[in-house]
Amino acid sequence: MIESDPFEHDSFDESDGSTAQLIGFYWGLLRRYYWILLLASIIVVTGGYFFTKQQPRLFKAESKIIFHQNQSNVFGRNIERVDVMDPGGRWQFEHFWNTQRQILRSDWFLGRVVENMDGLKDERLAPLKSAQGADFTPEQRLEMASGVIEGMTELALLDDSRVAVVTVTSSDPTLAAEVANIYAETYVDYTQEFQSQGVKQIATYFDERVTSAQQQVLDARSKIHEFDSKHANVIRTSFDDEKRRTASDIDSANTELNDVENKLAVQEALLAQIRQMEKEGQSKTDIAEFAGSESLPELVSQQRDLRKKLAEHLTVFGERHEVVVGTKDQLAIVDKAIEEEVNRSISSVVNKVQFLKRQRTSIQQRLKKHEEKAAELKELGTGFGELKDRAQVVQDTYDKVMKRSEELNINATYNGAVVELLEAAVIPKGPFSPNLPYNLGVSLLLGLLLGGGVIFLIAVLDNTVKGEEDVRRYTSAPLIGALPEVDASTIKSLMGASESPLDIITHLAPKSSFAEGIKTVRTNLMFMYADNKAPTFSLVTSPGPGEGKTLISTNMAIAIAQSGKRTLLIDNDLRRPRIHKAVGIKNTIGLADVLAKETTLDEAVQPTEIENLFVMPAGHIPPNPTELLHTERFGHVLEELREKYDRVIFDSPPIGAVADALILSQTVDAVLLVLKFGQTRKDILKRSIEQLEGIGAPLVGCVLNDIKREAGYGYQYYYYHRYGYDDRPGDDDKKIKKLHAS
């Protein structure tokens, strides 16, 4: 058996094919629903046209303001220039402009523009009376006029420049130019006033500061004189000598204190170690030796010698001999001396620690007195220095304030414009809105988008089978055929040859694309079995009615018969038979009569004008079609058919309608499921496949029928390239060899 996908082509690139099919799918949608795009475009463009015609004619006037960057000081180096309004450099200007734009949009500034225009009397900006005839107050007219001017005015900064544009839009061209010019002129006047008044205010402030600084200088000088008189002896004679002497005493005391603290640290460490040794239970002799006793080693040596003599005397003389008694007395004296030396050594360390602590306290007290005296001298010197420094600072401040006051008086007389009117607005010659070509273009674009959205929504909501991917989603059985829609003109041209020409088009138009597709299905079905042993019994069914199962079964039977196989087509649809109409025979007797044993098999089979093709119609419609398929007679009929015919094709009812197809699928060799492009629903397909696979039916593949021409390039590519079809003349054997080679 061949691979599961019998149509894989060597030159077919999967990614390119998928892209081509996607493009073809959308192209097919466009071809099918182009009228939606056309209708939506016409409706929206028509609406856009009438909307544009109803819009008022608007005029636009523009005035331009330039912001100069502050130049170098025009007064020279000795006098500093004062700029209250500074647009700044490149990086600071954006922040400056944002601030100025808030000013230009403020209610206060808009009110000033209205006043400069005498807008309270201009009915173009504010009516004098209400609709009821009552007079508006000046405040009300000012508020209305300000709102009108704000609504018609836009402010913008030209890219990479220091030029601001005031744009005014109005249905009155004269009013637009007038508002643009007065708006800009009002802002220029405001900036000049702001600069001049700001300098004057600063100058007034510095004049007041001069008077205050002058008084502070006099007060500072008075305090220095008073301090000098009070501390004349110290300040003039011995202040510096006393400071040096106190500092020397502090250094000496610090040196002594450091020496005592070092000694104290040594003795405290020694005492701590002695206490630790006592706590650990070490002998006092070891403690005394650690404390550095000078006489203890000699006493310990004497003790050792006496103990040795005592041991010898005890051995020679006995316990009460006078020599032994004398030795014991000497040993007792030495032991007492050792104990006294140990106690003396420990007491010596304790006494040294206490002495050094007292000495440290004495030095610290002496050091504290020297430091207090030094602090007193420092405070005295600091007070005098602060008075002198304060006097100097006050004098310097007075000099600076005096100089700055003189500079500001000079700046107040200079008028340097930072903001100027660059270009005045002129009365526009024609309206800029509405723009009919632009609006129509936008309407056309919106119409196309609307139509495209509707088409896309239709495609999204479409739940019908459209291609091989839909089949693969529910079954591993391949799509073994994709049959195109037959042109109405082709069917019309064949109407004289048969009552139902489409059902036998493979016979009437063997070179048509549909006939070639049927032959491709026949060939693929043959190649799916080893040694070209195609199934004897084949069942053709569909998920639902009207999906072309009879069309496929009749044309499949014709194609197989044309290949030289003795073929029998059986109408197994015992409820709504149609095979007899398709091939142009009578339905007097048929399968139902054979199963009811009212006629023989040979009598029920009828020959056709097509060589090797025989047909068994349904016969009389029985009351119990499903029960007939369960009879023993039906099994005998199948055995007899297998002996007499090479191929037998059953045209059964749809799977979703009755159980006939499912029953018959248990007795055939292969089941073909016919799907109709754009009609078979995916959920119905899924349920049908689940039913077939659930009972173990031999589902060999699916056939996608009635593919519309407007389906797009993807399906044409799939059909022509994957099935090896072309329109050039040639017999079926050449096509089979070509497909087999691929």
Side-chain angles (χ1 to χ4, degrees):
M1 183 174 287
I2 63 174
E3 296 180 358
S4 61
D5 187 355
F7 315 115
E8 190 65 26
H9 197 282
D10 292 341
S11 63
F12 177 72
D13 184 87
E14 190 65 28
S15 61
D16 294 342
S18 298
T19 303
Q21 290 184 24
L22 183 62
I23 295 174
F25 171 72
Y26 286 112
W27 174 244
L29 287 177
L30 183 62
R31 291 179 59 187
R32 187 186 305 177
Y33 301 111
Y34 71 92
W35 59 271
I36 295 180
L37 284 178
L38 184 61
L39 180 61
S41 299
I42 292 175
I43 293 175
V44 177
V45 169
T46 303
Y49 174 80
F50 287 106
F51 173 79
T52 302
K53 287 299 184 180
Q54 293 177 356
Q55 299 304 306
R57 291 160 50 112
L58 298 178
F59 298 85
K60 181 185 294 184
E62 294 181 347
S63 61
K64 296 181 180 179
I65 303 170
I66 185 171
F67 297 88
H68 295 291
Q69 188 171 359
N70 289 335
Q71 303 299 321
S72 57
N73 197 347
V74 297
F75 302 121
R77 296 181 179 179
N78 295 328
I79 299 177
E80 182 179 355
R81 177 178 172 177
V82 178
D83 293 306
V84 178
M85 177 173 285
D86 183 10
R90 177 180 179 182
W91 306 110
Q92 295 83 13
F93 180 70
E94 181 178 358
H95 181 270
F96 171 81
W97 165 246
N98 290 333
T99 302
Q100 297 306 305
R101 182 164 52 188
Q102 296 299 320
I103 295 174
L104 289 165
R105 283 298 187 186
S106 64
D107 294 338
W108 167 84
F109 183 81
L110 291 171
R112 188 166 177 175
V113 173
V114 173
E115 292 176 359
N116 291 340
M117 287 186 62
D118 200 11
L120 296 180
K121 300 179 181 179
D122 192 340
E123 294 193 19
R124 296 175 300 175
L125 299 177
L128 299 178
K129 296 180 179 294
S130 65
Q132 291 76 22
D135 293 336
F136 286 114
T137 64
E139 292 77 12
Q140 291 175 328
R141 291 200 298 274
L142 176 62
E143 182 179 357
M144 288 187 289
S146 299
V148 171
I149 292 177
E150 182 180 13
M152 67 172 60
T153 305
E154 294 181 0
L155 304 172
L157 192 66
L158 294 181
D159 295 337
D160 298 326
S161 72
R162 303 171 72 88
V163 176
V165 180
V166 180
T167 304
V168 179
T169 303
S170 174
S171 58
D172 185 347
T174 304
L175 178 63
E178 183 180 353
V179 171
N181 287 327
I182 294 180
Y183 207 103
E185 291 169 358
T186 302
Y187 178 68
V188 172
D189 294 341
Y190 156 74
T191 57
Q192 291 177 351
E193 292 174 6
F194 183 80
Q195 172 72 16
S196 176
Q197 292 179 2
V199 172
K200 290 180 180 179
Q201 290 177 358
I202 297 174
T204 302
Y205 168 77
F206 272 93
D207 287 342
E208 295 174 355
R209 289 287 296 161
V210 166
T211 302
S212 175
Q214 187 176 16
Q215 183 61 42
Q216 290 177 0
V217 169
L218 295 176
D219 293 342
R221 289 176 178 175
S222 175
K223 289 181 179 180
I224 290 176
H225 179 72
E226 181 181 352
F227 189 90
D228 190 20
S229 300
K230 184 177 180 180
H231 303 284
N233 295 331
V234 176
I235 295 299
R236 296 178 182 176
T237 57
S238 61
F239 181 73
D240 292 335
D241 293 340
E242 190 67 22
K243 284 179 64 178
R244 283 193 294 271
R245 187 164 49 251
T246 303
S248 177
D249 292 340
I250 290 174
D251 291 340
S252 177
N254 280 327
T255 301
E256 293 180 19
L257 181 61
N258 289 336
D259 183 56
V260 170
E261 286 182 343
N262 290 335
K263 293 179 179 180
L264 179 60
V266 172
Q267 294 301 319
E268 285 180 339
L270 180 60
L271 181 60
Q273 185 62 36
I274 290 173
R275 298 304 185 197
Q276 183 64 29
M277 293 174 69
E278 290 178 344
K279 186 176 180 181
E280 294 175 354
Q282 296 186 24
S283 65
K284 291 187 176 182
T285 304
D286 294 338
I287 296 174
E289 289 180 354
F290 177 76
S293 173
E294 296 179 354
S295 58
L296 185 61
E298 182 179 354
L299 292 174
V300 171
S301 177
Q302 292 178 7
Q303 184 186 48
R304 190 183 304 112
D305 293 340
L306 289 174
R307 286 179 177 175
K308 183 178 179 182
K309 288 180 180 181
L310 180 60
E312 292 175 353
H313 293 166
L314 286 173
T315 304
V316 177
F317 300 107
E319 181 70 26
R320 296 184 179 182
H321 195 276
E322 58 181 5
V323 175
V324 173
V325 173
T327 302
K328 286 182 178 182
D329 293 339
Q330 293 178 3
L331 182 59
I333 294 171
V334 171
D335 289 341
K336 183 177 181 181
I338 290 174
E339 183 177 358
E340 292 175 353
E341 179 60 25
V342 168
N343 293 333
R344 187 195 63 77
S345 298
I346 295 174
S347 299
S348 176
V349 173
V350 173
N351 293 334
K352 286 182 180 179
V353 169
Q354 294 176 351
F355 172 75
L356 290 173
K357 286 183 177 180
R358 289 193 297 272
Q359 188 176 9
R360 181 183 63 181
T361 302
S362 176
I363 296 173
Q364 287 175 342
Q365 292 174 352
R366 178 156 43 92
L367 179 60
K368 182 178 180 181
K369 292 180 179 180
H370 293 323
E371 289 175 346
E372 290 175 353
K373 183 176 182 180
E376 182 180 356
L377 292 173
K378 181 179 180 181
E379 183 179 358
L380 183 62
T382 300
F384 181 72
E386 286 178 353
L387 289 175
K388 292 179 65 178
D389 293 342
R390 175 62 180 168
Q392 185 62 43
V393 168
V394 170
Q395 183 65 45
D396 293 342
T397 301
Y398 173 76
D399 294 340
K400 291 178 181 179
V401 170
M402 190 65 186
K403 180 176 180 299
R404 191 59 172 164
S405 178
E406 295 173 356
E407 292 175 353
L408 288 171
N409 290 331
I410 297 174
N411 272 274
T413 61
Y414 173 75
N415 184 17
V418 177
V419 181
E420 290 183 328
L421 181 64
L422 178 63
E423 183 179 310
V426 296
I427 299 175
K429 297 180 180 180
F432 79 96
S433 177
N435 189 338
L436 182 60
Y438 175 79
N439 290 349
L440 292 181
V442 172
S443 299
L444 178 60
L445 178 61
L446 292 176
L448 293 175
L449 291 175
L450 176 62
V454 172
I455 294 174
F456 180 77
L457 183 62
I458 292 174
V460 170
L461 297 178
D462 189 358
N463 190 34
T464 59
V465 176
K466 291 294 194 303
E468 184 177 5
E469 292 300 325
D470 296 331
V471 177
R472 287 183 176 179
R473 187 177 295 115
Y474 304 115
T475 179
S476 59
L479 181 68
I480 63 174
L483 303 178
E485 177 189 29
V486 180
D487 292 340
S489 59
T490 303
I491 299 175
K492 186 176 181 181
S493 66
L494 300 174
M495 285 300 294
S498 173
E499 181 182 352
S500 180
L502 181 60
D503 290 327
I504 57 173
I505 191 173
T506 304
H507 171 63
L508 298 177
K511 298 301 180 182
S512 64
S513 59
F514 184 87
E516 292 294 343
I518 286 292
K519 294 173 184 178
T520 303
V521 174
R522 176 198 65 188
T523 306
N524 290 330
L525 186 61
M526 180 180 65
F527 284 163
M528 292 181 70
Y529 292 85
D531 300 327
N532 292 339
K533 292 182 179 180
T536 300
F537 291 160
S538 298
L539 172 64
V540 179
T541 185
S542 63
E547 294 175 336
K549 62 178 182 57
T550 301
L551 172 67
I552 303 304
S553 60
T554 55
N555 283 279
M556 272 286 294
I558 294 171
I560 295 174
Q562 289 175 346
S563 67
K565 303 295 183 181
R566 183 177 173 85
T567 306
L568 175 62
L569 175 60
I570 299 178
D571 192 346
N572 195 65
D573 192 344
L574 303 180
R575 293 172 176 81
R576 299 178 61 183
R578 202 173 69 83
I579 291 293
H580 62 283
K581 294 180 181 180
V583 297
I585 63 175
K586 295 182 179 180
N587 189 27
T588 54
I589 57 174
L591 177 62
D593 302 291
V594 174
L595 297 179
K597 299 180 181 181
E598 295 179 359
T599 185
T600 63
L601 180 63
D602 293 336
E603 292 175 350
V605 175
Q606 303 180 39
T608 65
E609 63 180 13
I610 303 171
E611 186 179 1
N612 295 321
L613 179 61
F614 302 87
V615 176
M616 181 189 294
H620 295 90
I621 299 177
N624 54 344
T626 304
E627 285 74 7
L628 290 178
L629 300 179
H630 287 289
T631 62
E632 184 178 353
R633 173 62 176 164
F634 183 64
H636 294 318
V637 170
L638 294 180
E639 293 177 1
E640 189 175 351
L641 292 176
R642 192 180 296 273
E643 295 176 357
K644 291 183 177 182
Y645 298 95
D646 298 322
R647 303 286 187 270
V648 178
I649 298 178
F650 292 90
D651 177 38
S652 75
I655 297 175
V658 292
D660 295 12
L662 297 176
I663 296 172
L664 192 57
S665 67
Q666 300 296 299
T667 61
V668 299
D669 303 319
V671 176
L672 285 180
L673 189 62
V674 178
L675 314 173
K676 189 170 184 178
F677 179 90
Q679 177 175 321
T680 303
R681 285 167 44 190
K682 296 176 183 177
D683 55 334
I684 302 297
L685 170 62
K686 178 182 178 183
R687 185 162 61 249
S688 299
I689 291 176
E690 288 176 349
Q691 287 178 304
L692 290 171
E693 293 180 347
I695 63 174
L699 178 63
V700 296
C702 301
V703 177
L704 185 59
N705 178 38
D706 200 30
I707 298 177
K708 309 298 181 182
R709 286 191 173 187
E710 60 269 21
Y713 171 78
Y715 293 100
Q716 296 174 18
Y717 179 93
Y718 178 86
Y719 182 79
Y720 284 101
H721 292 270
R722 297 196 67 173
Y723 290 89
Y725 169 77
D726 58 33
D727 289 330
R728 294 175 297 177
D731 57 278
D732 292 339
D733 294 335
K734 292 182 180 180
K735 298 185 190 307
I736 294 172
K737 292 178 181 179
K738 180 177 180 181
L739 182 61
H740 184 67
S742 66

